[in-house]
Amino acid sequence: MTTTALLIRKRRFLPLFATQLLGAFNDNLYKNAMILYVVYTVYHSEAAEARFSAIASAVFILPFFLLSALSGQLADMRDKARLIRIVKAAEIAIMLVGAAGLFMAWRGMAVQIVAIPLMLAALLAMGVHSTFFGPIKYAILPQHLRPEEVLAGTGLVEAGTYIAILAGTIFAGWIPVEWAAMICIGTAMIGFCTAQFVPSAPPQMEPIPLDFNVIRSSITLVRMTTRHPRVFLAIAAISFFWTIGAVLFIQFPPLAKNVLSASKEVASLFLVVFSIGVAIGSVSINHLLKGTVSARFGPASVIVMGLFVVAFHFVCKMWQHTVGSALLDVPQFVMQPLAVPLLLSLLGIAISGGMFVVPLYAFLTTVVDKAETARTIAANNIVNAGAMVVGSLIAIGLSAGGVALADQLLLGAAMCIIAAWLARVLHKAELAHVGEIEHTFE
């Protein structure tokens, strides 16, 4: 039986996996239900829709930038299982607020004044929730898993995350918004229950006073990663990947509506295909590397990703857009001549992206000491969030400047070149480190 199959049956992994799965599902069900409802029901302007999508993404990302240093300190200095249970309890309260906003929007009650601010406030709080949960879910893996299981565990967490994104995205696009509100509350409650079964993960270091100065602690945390060149390079490469991902995810709903004349179910389909692709890439790279943490496939993976982004751009440019016609539903969309090339290019983006990013996350949890893993993940989140906020701002600026949505895709393709260079430098550093070890034992 494979390592992956064995892990999924173990109590040291399964409760964490289930809790993460439910959290990711809830994040994406709520976020996508909100964005799709507002884009397709509230606003009727391409610029306003793209702006709202970018603002929602930035609101969710902002806590990662501001609070990751604190979350990393907590995760390394407190029992991680206990922190998970606290975070999951908070999720129930957050979803009650978010559900109230969705319900008010559905009923048309003070949509602009109360409902949308409530929804954005809950989205911000879910960003805080994810900021504190993120370092824990990766830092707990090397504590509960054997060294040869860490890559498989990381791949499973990534694949599970995207399966959850897939499920949340499908629900968001296909069920009424009032049902989404109720499911969000129920999922948060189930996640709190599964969190009770996560085994204890006590700190691997003596507790020290927490630094609540978010600027100073963030700088200190990021600076700490420079002691490990491979970790710093991995963080930089991951940041470019998520900047590309942020730009694409911001563009999907308005692009589907305004460029492809497609319904919100088709926009949901795009996110589904993307999620399936990343899940496939996450599992595939583990088989290719045979459990070894390495960046050797990184440069090729992200170059292929960039080529697929360019292909996606050209298909969007060739799409026959009929102004004023009824929006295409999923059956009508898939019957279009360019639908299959469009979906295949999107799937290619996601598969190659998953193959690129999973080994990089494994670097973050295996290169550093176990006592530093949560803070390393937190440092990664800070840099990632900063890059994604910049990506969101660029997307807002390009939309304001009148750059066509399809042309904005080329920004992601250009960033793939930089990510490939970083992955190549990382692989060279990896080979140099292996050479040093071999020289030591000669």
Side-chain angles (χ1 to χ4, degrees), residues 50-212:
R51 183 171 61 250
F52 178 80
S53 183
I55 288 170
S57 295
V59 163
F60 185 76
I61 294 163
L62 188 61
F64 288 91
F65 188 66
L66 296 176
L67 299 174
S68 285
L70 179 60
S71 70
Q73 292 176 76
L74 276 171
D76 274 336
M77 299 174 197
R78 304 290 187 272
D79 187 304
K80 298 173 187 65
R82 182 169 178 270
L83 290 174
I84 287 174
R85 290 188 264 278
I86 293 170
V87 168
K88 289 289 127 181
E91 183 181 0
I92 297 173
I94 295 166
M95 283 297 99
L96 287 169
V97 175
L102 288 174
F103 183 81
M104 288 181 67
W106 169 60
R107 299 294 294 175
M109 299 164 55
V111 176
Q112 298 282 0
I113 300 172
V114 180
I116 288 179
L118 264 183
M119 290 189 286
L120 288 174
L123 188 63
L124 178 67
M126 282 305 287
V128 175
H129 158 277
S130 298
T131 298
F132 281 88
F133 188 74
I136 300 169
K137 75 178 181 185
Y138 287 111
I140 207 171
L141 291 178
Q143 200 166 340
H144 282 166
L145 306 183
R146 292 188 288 272
E148 65 273 16
E149 296 174 331
V150 172
L151 183 61
T154 305
L156 266 176
V157 168
E158 284 296 300
T161 297
Y162 282 94
I163 290 169
I165 292 171
L166 162 64
T169 302
I170 291 173
F171 273 75
W174 288 83
I175 66 173
V177 71
E178 65 274 20
W179 290 14
M182 292 185 290
I183 292 172
C184 284
I185 296 171
T187 303
M189 291 178 174
I190 298 170
F192 177 73
C193 293
T194 61
Q196 309 308 307
F197 297 95
V198 176
S200 176
Q204 304 288 294
M205 60 181 292
E206 290 297 319
I208 59 175
L210 297 175
D211 186 352
F212 289 95

Side-chain angles (χ1 to χ4, degrees), residues 66 69-70 73 211-222 382:
L66 296 176
L70 179 60
Q73 292 176 76
D211 186 352
F212 289 95
N213 185 313
V214 294
I215 296 175
R216 181 179 61 225
S217 57
S218 297
I219 293 171
T220 301
L221 208 57
V222 173
I382 292 168

